[in-house]
Amino acid sequence: MINNSNYHVAWCPFCNQGWVDIIKDSLTSKLFLLCAECDTLWDDPIDVELGNPIVSKMEINMEEPILKEIKDNG
Ligand SMILES: [Zn+2]
């Protein structure tokens, strides 16, 4: 679990108790969205709004992305 992330993007629609943050898989550099409270994971910001999470929390080497990476990924 990542605390003190600077990349809050949405209020979690699932647990309604935590922020959804942008995280990065350090192996693939792919960006994900993770709820800090319930660990629900999404791979697209649109999916957060639709309430359509990735089924299971995958093996991701999480790290905070840099701002450029977020911008590059829209
Ligand atoms: Zn949540």
Side-chain angles (χ1 to χ4, degrees), residues 1 4 12 16-18 27 44-45:
M1 183 181 295
N4 303 320
C12 180
N16 201 31
Q17 293 180 16
L27 290 180
D44 191 298

Side-chain angles (χ1 to χ4, degrees), residues 12-20 35-40 42:
C12 180
F14 269 63
C15 66
N16 201 31
Q17 293 180 16
W19 286 103
V20 178
C35 172
E37 287 297 321
C38 65
D39 287 343
T40 301
W42 296 265

Side-chain angles (χ1 to χ4, degrees), residues 7-74:
Y7 302 119
H8 298 320
V9 292
W11 190 249
C12 180
F14 269 63
C15 66
N16 201 31
Q17 293 180 16
W19 286 103
V20 178
D21 295 327
I22 300 171
I23 57 153
K24 191 184 83 170
D25 185 330
S26 58
L27 290 180
T28 65
S29 294
K30 181 172 169 51
L31 298 181
F32 295 91
L33 297 155
L34 177 74
C35 172
E37 287 297 321
C38 65
D39 287 343
T40 301
L41 189 68
W42 296 265
D43 64 359
D44 191 298
I46 293 173
D47 289 338
V48 176
E49 297 178 7
L50 296 176
N52 184 29
I54 294 174
V55 176
S56 61
K57 191 173 180 179
M58 295 181 295
E59 299 299 319
I60 295 174
N61 293 283
M62 296 180 196
E63 65 179 41
E64 245 182 52
I66 61 174
L67 192 57
K68 180 182 183 301
E69 294 172 315
I70 294 174
K71 288 179 177 175
D72 287 347
N73 282 269

